[in-house]
Amino acid sequence: MWAQRNIGWARAALLFGVCGAASCHLLDLGDWANYVFPIPFGLLAAWLSVGSVAPGIALVVLDAVVWQAAYHLATRFGAEGPTVQRVAALYLAGLVGGLGVSLATALCQRRAPAIRGTGIVALAGAVCGLPFAWWVISGNQAPIPDWAFSTLCFTIWQAAVGACLVCVAQPARLAGVSSQDRR
């Protein structure tokens, strides 16, 4: 089988965290960064949760579209304005990202999304979108260099959302039902 379905949430968090940290180096690509940045997350999500190549490719594309929506929401409403507006915008961008990747994964798995699971991934995205607000608001007053702050923010978001996504995509395994019990 193409998908790696027997991975635990801790391993998924580690893989997605490394993916988030590595993806930050793609931000140096200039104009191409917005288009290339979401691809590693999409590839890892497809590898861990989708059963074949064609839906996996669709998931990478859908995750890239979700990234564009969340990114434009964050930059449009989170770059300027009062602090509360900026925090809310980045919280909302994280929510859109988490909700979007959860729905995209369910669509590519050809199943109806569970409301609880979708909500968990969306909430993880929203809460983990808050470090981005600190990064944007602190500007050049941040306690660590800008590249380290962005790497930290993307690592946190991708690790949390990716781990939740993998757990939601594998509900039977997480409920203690083995593949032999399902037969």
Side-chain angles (χ1 to χ4, degrees), residues 13-112:
L14 179 64
L15 285 172
F16 278 104
V18 169
C19 178
S23 293
C24 284
H25 294 291
L26 298 174
L27 293 175
D28 297 332
L29 294 176
D31 294 338
W32 285 96
N34 283 343
Y35 303 106
V36 176
F37 185 83
I39 292 174
F41 181 89
L43 287 172
L44 187 56
W47 182 58
L48 295 176
S49 60
V50 179
S52 62
V53 176
I57 293 169
L59 181 58
V60 172
V61 171
L62 289 173
D63 281 354
V65 170
V66 168
W67 155 258
Q68 291 297 325
Y71 176 77
H72 288 295
L73 178 70
T75 56
R76 178 160 171 90
F77 298 108
E80 301 290 326
T83 302
V84 173
Q85 174 188 326
R86 296 165 84 184
V87 170
L90 290 160
Y91 178 86
L92 188 58
L95 179 77
V96 167
L99 179 65
V101 297
S102 180
L103 293 174
T105 302
L107 180 68
C108 291
Q109 288 178 329
R110 296 183 180 108
R111 65 174 175 82

